[in-house]
Amino acid sequence: MLQIGKFNHLEVVNQVPFGFYLDGGDMGQVLLPTNTVPQGCKVGDMLDVFIYHDSDDRIIATTKNPKAQVDQCAFLKVISITKVGAFLDWGLEKDLLVPFSEQDYPMAEGMSYVVYLFCDEETNRIAASTRLRDFLPEVATEFEPKQAVNLLICGRTDMGYKAVVNGSYLGLVFKDEIFKPIKIGYKLPGFIKRIREDGKIDLCFQFHDKEARGSLAEQIIEDLLAHGGLSTLTDKSPAEEISQRFNVSKAAYKKAIGGLFKQKRILLDKNKITLVENKG
């Protein structure tokens, strides 16, 4: 069965002056216009094509890659606002509609938003929505703490940032887990921090457990050795400087150097850290 809004593997069945027709099964033949026909194409070939509706609402095929398919999320730019909604650039000739009813708040021309692509059941047309919670669950049981995941930052709240997890769920990164600037639309690697009792997903970019602190501590020692046993990067330093050098939060850095101090491997004062092994 032909899948609207996704790539389909279809047979070329007829050549016409303006392109080729492909076998769309129950939906009949589907036109692949000349401007996207691969070189050397002929009747009998099998092609991977994306299926959507053109500006005249006809089902059409293309070999171009859209920026997202149905059932996926993407960060897309609004190129126009009309009486029916906002239209987004998704890499195809016909722009992608976000109806007003699918907008959490009014979208603005020139701005970009994370949207979810879906196929309307009544019209069979592709549309998008900023109402991600209507399509992606916030409750999950399939993840484990420390599991690596892919994140798409999709919104900001008073507690932190919302993120799409592996393209399928919504989770939250709390403010205290953010150690470098992030923005809506960023794609970042992350981890499952925990699954709460209500099933909601807490996310993080790093761990503050004993194992992680031990690894960071050794990085700090190596950095001290590389700089003659001295560093001006203390627990009083700006978080941005700490993140730039070690890619960790200020809180994680403070815990690591605190552990090194207790082990008597370093000396601390307001302006510098000194490696004990290098003293004497």
Side-chain angles (χ1 to χ4, degrees), residues 100-118:
F100 289 118
S101 61
E102 293 294 339
Q103 298 177 27
D104 258 332
Y105 48 85
M107 302 173 80
E109 186 173 333
M111 299 295 290
S112 296
Y113 303 84
V114 175
V115 297
Y116 182 90
L117 278 66
F118 66 97

Side-chain angles (χ1 to χ4, degrees), residues 54-107:
D54 66 9
S55 298
D56 296 319
D57 282 332
R58 297 172 301 185
I59 295 178
I60 199 165
T62 181
T63 54
K64 290 184 178 180
N65 282 306
K67 296 177 181 178
Q69 301 183 49
V70 163
D71 298 330
Q72 293 181 350
C73 291
F75 186 56
L76 302 177
K77 184 177 182 179
V78 177
I79 57 174
S80 67
I81 304 291
T82 72
K83 62 181 181 181
V84 296
F87 282 91
L88 310 176
D89 174 14
W90 65 321
L92 299 181
E93 286 80 0
K94 183 183 179 183
D95 301 319
L96 180 65
L97 173 65
V98 184
F100 289 118
S101 61
E102 293 294 339
Q103 298 177 27
D104 258 332
Y105 48 85
M107 302 173 80

Side-chain angles (χ1 to χ4, degrees), residues 220-237:
I220 294 169
I221 294 297
E222 290 177 8
D223 183 76
L224 284 165
L225 288 169
H227 293 86
L230 292 175
S231 174
T232 57
L233 196 69
T234 70
D235 58 355
K236 307 298 182 185
S237 298

